[in-house]
């Protein structure tokens, strides 16, 4: 078999084309919906603590703004590339449409390993990057949020840089902010809670009970670690977890609170004493009920898809499964809850945060969680129904639903001028 093309933007286009084909979209509409609206690449000079200068490259892509302002995270990672940001931005378009949120899709990234920078260097990098993309972001234009290796503190610096430059206090320019600065309760756990809600829906139909289910989670950051805690509390057995350095496997189950304490000490999960070390690749192939990729793209490919033994794959990460692998998993009867549905809890609570910032009226965590559950369950039902109608996977259903909504918005708006 020829090697798969692992370029994330090519993969994003492949999934889009499958939906466009199912919907019978014409070539013009396909071109409009698949081409990013705006692509910006900037250089970011930073004065390092030792007095030298370094230049980093950053991107911000607004893929589509037909249904509302662009929305999407900012990633700080050495492997960031423009094509990755374009792919992630387009996935945000489909995700927001899938959930019925009034947003388009955007994404940003800086080619940097933030772990090599001091706190002050990270702040200068963030502020300069914000300043470079500033003409194109704003509460009604393009609204960033956290993604891999960015966090609420970085969102606070973005909000401050934007606000100081504009001479306003603009809470709605970013989401995922600290609570002291217009952040939303429940935003830190929102991505994981969203995964938990759709997992419950998927489990209902598959005679799998979360209580007692075995779970493997790849990636132990915001999405992965909160999910481990939530599923553990619901009675699931977390049998394996990993981070960028490797993982730990314990068939009897791991205690997320102890794993968290280890991470807080700056240790890798693979050093956790109550289990055996396991590689990221091995973790994916464990015989578990539920597998959660919660790290980066292209983890389940045509190389390993035939060896995935999980009954349910819940994509907390964006783009973890390639189209060839997706096909293999579907034919093997595995249920894949696709990224644009599974991990949409994050952007849904980001939407709640933006709404709260505008109204200057803040909700308690219970209310956030209840509303999130409504959005996630409703989206899951709509996706499952569409998949049934088109006799395709949940991913196929999610894309058809989302692409159709954006196409409809484009049609009724019309093309300017
Ligand atoms: P994070 O920075 O909090 O954590 C990333 C985790 O992945 C860390 O544990 C890191 O060690 C691990 N990791 C990095 N490289 C790895 C590798 N090669 N193999 C295994 N693990 C690796 O990031 P996050 O916010 O949890 O994001 C994780 C995924 O979830 C990303 O795909 C992101 O786009 C997606 N996502 C996040 C949110 C959110 O709200 N944070 C929302 C939707 C989707």
């Amino acid at each position: 078999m020829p090697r798969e093309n692992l370029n994330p933007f090519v993969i994003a286009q492949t999934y889009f084309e499958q939906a466009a084909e199912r919907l019978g979209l014409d070539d013009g509409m396909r071109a409009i919906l698949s081409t990013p609206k705006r692509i910006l690449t900037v250089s970011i000079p930073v004065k390092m603590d030792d007095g030298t200068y370094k230049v980093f490259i950053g991107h911000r892509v607004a893929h589509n703004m037909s249904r509302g302002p662009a929305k999407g995270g900012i990633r700080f990672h050495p492997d960031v590339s423009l094509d990755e940001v374009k792919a992630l931005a387009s996935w945000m378009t489909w995700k927001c449409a899938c959930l019925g949120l009034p947003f388009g899709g955007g994404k940003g990234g800086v080619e940097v390993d933030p772990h090599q920078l001091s706190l002050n260097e990270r702040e200068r990098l963030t502020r300069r990057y914000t300043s470079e993309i500033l003409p194109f972001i704003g509460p009604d234009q393009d609204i960033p949020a956290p993604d891999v290796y960015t966090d609420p503190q970085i969102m606070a610096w973005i909000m401050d840089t934007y606000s100081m430059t504009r001479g306003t206090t603009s809470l709605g320019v970013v989401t995922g902010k600290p609570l002291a600065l217009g952040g939303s309760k429940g935003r830190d756990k929102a991505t994981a809670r969203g995964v938990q809600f759709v997992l419950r829906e998927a489990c209902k139909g598959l005679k799998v009970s979360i209580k007692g289910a075995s779970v493997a989670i790849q990636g132990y950051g915001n999405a992965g670690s909160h999910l481990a805690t939530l599923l553990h509390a619901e009675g699931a057995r977390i049998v394996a977890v990993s981070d960028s350095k490797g993982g730990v496997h314990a068939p009897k189950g791991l205690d997320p609170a102890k794993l968290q304490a280890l991470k807080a000490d700056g240790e890798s999960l693979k050093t956790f004493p109550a289990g055996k070390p396991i590689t990221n690749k091995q973790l994916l192939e464990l015989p578990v009920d539920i597998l959660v990729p919660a790290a980066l793209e292209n983890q389940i490919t045509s190389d390993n898809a035939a060896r995935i033994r999980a009954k349910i794959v819940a994509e907390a990460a964006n783009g973890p499964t390639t189209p060839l692998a997706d096909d293999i998993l579907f034919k093997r009867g595995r249920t894949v809850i696709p990224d644009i549905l599974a991990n949409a809890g994050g952007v849904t609570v980001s939407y709640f945060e933006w709404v709260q910032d505008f109204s200057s009226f803040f909700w308690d965590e219970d209310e956030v969680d209840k509303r999130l559950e409504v959005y996630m369950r409703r989206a899951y039902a709509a996706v499952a129904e569409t998949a049934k109608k088109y006799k395709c996977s949940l991913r196929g259903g999610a894309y058809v639903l989302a692409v159709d909504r954006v196409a409809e918005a484009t049609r009724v708006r019309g093309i300017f001028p």
Side-chain angles (χ1 to χ4, degrees), residues 75 77 88 92 95 107 115 146-150 187-188 190-191 218-225 242-246 263 269 280 293-297 299 315-320 339 343-347 350:
R75 180 173 290 195
H77 194 279
L88 290 162
M92 288 306 298
K95 191 182 304 181
K107 204 80 179 193
H115 302 115
D147 190 76
V148 175
Y149 298 160
T150 54
R187 175 60 185 90
D188 52 346
T191 304
Q218 183 203 48
Y220 212 69
N222 175 286
S225 68
S242 67
D243 56 30
S244 60
K245 301 196 180 80
K263 288 294 278 184
L269 295 170
N280 268 294
L296 298 173
E297 298 91 64
Q299 299 304 304
E315 295 183 340
N318 285 304
D339 46 8
N343 70 38
V347 70
S350 274

Side-chain angles (χ1 to χ4, degrees), residues 20 34 63 82 89 94 99 107 124 126 143 152 158 189 210 241 249 259 286 340 342 405:
S34 61
H63 172 256
L82 181 56
W94 313 132
L99 267 288
K107 204 80 179 193
R124 288 194 290 273
T126 303
I143 307 142
I158 295 175
K189 298 188 197 77
I210 290 188
V241 293
H249 179 210
L259 295 168
L286 288 173
I340 62 168
R405 285 176 177 169

Side-chain angles (χ1 to χ4, degrees), residues 337-364:
I337 314 177
D339 46 8
I340 62 168
L341 169 64
N343 70 38
V347 70
T348 302
V349 177
S350 274
Y351 164 54
F352 297 163
E353 179 174 333
W354 183 73
V355 168
Q356 292 170 81
D357 287 339
F358 269 124
S359 56
S360 301
F361 182 76
F362 292 87
W363 315 343
D364 63 28

Side-chain angles (χ1 to χ4, degrees), residues 1 28 58 87 94 104 107 131 160 163 170 191 228 271 275 284 310 324 333-334 350 357 365 385 387 395 402 410 414:
M1 209 191 321
W94 313 132
K107 204 80 179 193
S131 159
D160 182 66
S163 296
S170 249
T191 304
T271 64
L284 296 171
L324 283 181
R334 312 285 139 161
S350 274
D357 287 339
E365 192 160 340
E385 197 183 305
R395 190 188 315 279
T410 308

Side-chain angles (χ1 to χ4, degrees), residues 86-396:
K86 281 160 65 183
L88 290 162
S90 75
W91 287 327
M92 288 306 298
T93 300
W94 313 132
K95 191 182 304 181
C96 292
C98 183
L99 267 288
L101 308 178
F103 289 133
K107 204 80 179 193
V110 179
E111 300 170 17
V112 60
D113 181 356
H115 302 115
Q116 304 299 319
L117 304 183
S118 69
L119 190 67
N120 286 332
E121 289 167 343
R122 274 207 294 271
E123 176 172 354
R124 288 194 290 273
L125 173 86
T126 303
R127 288 186 182 279
R128 183 60 188 254
Y129 170 64
T130 307
S131 159
E132 296 294 344
I133 65 170
L134 200 132
F136 302 102
I137 60 172
D140 55 3
Q141 201 177 356
D142 183 357
I143 307 142
D147 190 76
V148 175
Y149 298 160
T150 54
D151 59 18
Q153 174 61 73
I154 288 174
M155 298 307 115
W157 291 327
I158 295 175
M159 177 271 172
D160 182 66
T161 304
Y162 182 89
S163 296
M164 295 309 290
T165 310
R166 290 269 192 248
T168 57
T169 297
S170 249
L171 297 180
V173 66
V174 279
T175 57
K177 297 180 297 297
L179 286 179
L181 205 62
S184 175
K185 289 191 175 143
R187 175 60 185 90
D188 52 346
K189 298 188 197 77
T191 304
R193 273 225 188 275
V195 178
Q196 182 184 32
F197 290 141
V198 289
L199 264 174
R200 285 183 189 159
E201 297 305 302
C203 282
K204 273 184 209 161
L206 290 168
K207 293 187 186 136
V208 175
S209 160
I210 290 188
K211 193 169 177 346
S214 52
V215 182
I217 301 178
Q218 183 203 48
Y220 212 69
N222 175 286
S225 68
H226 285 305
L227 186 64
T229 304
L230 292 173
L231 294 182
H232 177 75
E234 202 173 335
R237 206 159 27 96
I238 311 298
V239 298
V241 293
S242 67
D243 56 30
S244 60
K245 301 196 180 80
V248 56
H249 179 210
K252 287 193 174 151
L254 295 153
D255 180 351
K258 290 185 180 151
L259 295 168
Q260 209 59 50
L262 185 85
K263 288 294 278 184
D265 286 345
E267 296 292 330
S268 167
L269 295 170
K270 70 178 182 186
T271 64
F272 192 64
K276 285 195 177 142
I278 187 171
T279 67
N280 268 294
K281 278 191 163 174
Q282 289 166 335
L283 177 144
L284 296 171
E285 297 174 17
L286 288 173
V288 289
D289 296 309
I290 298 167
L291 171 65
V292 184
L296 298 173
E297 298 91 64
N298 296 335
Q299 299 304 304
I300 305 177
T301 67
S302 57
D303 284 342
N304 62 357
R307 294 192 301 274
I308 302 296
R309 287 184 278 177
K311 292 187 188 114
I312 302 173
V313 178
E315 295 183 340
N318 285 304
T321 310
T322 64
L324 283 181
D326 197 48
D327 211 33
I328 295 168
L329 292 173
F330 184 59
K331 287 185 179 133
R332 292 182 56 231
R334 312 285 139 161
T335 296
V336 179
I337 314 177
D339 46 8
I340 62 168
L341 169 64
N343 70 38
V347 70
T348 302
V349 177
S350 274
Y351 164 54
F352 297 163
E353 179 174 333
W354 183 73
V355 168
Q356 292 170 81
D357 287 339
F358 269 124
S359 56
S360 301
F361 182 76
F362 292 87
W363 315 343
D364 63 28
E365 192 160 340
D366 254 14
E367 184 169 358
V368 170
D369 287 350
K370 273 191 202 135
R371 288 182 193 249
L372 174 62
E373 183 169 7
V374 170
Y375 271 77
M376 297 305 297
R377 289 179 63 175
R378 188 167 57 202
Y380 187 92
V383 165
E385 197 183 305
T386 312
K388 203 169 153 197
K389 180 172 163 198
Y390 285 84
K391 299 187 175 52
C392 62
S393 64
L394 290 177
R395 190 188 315 279

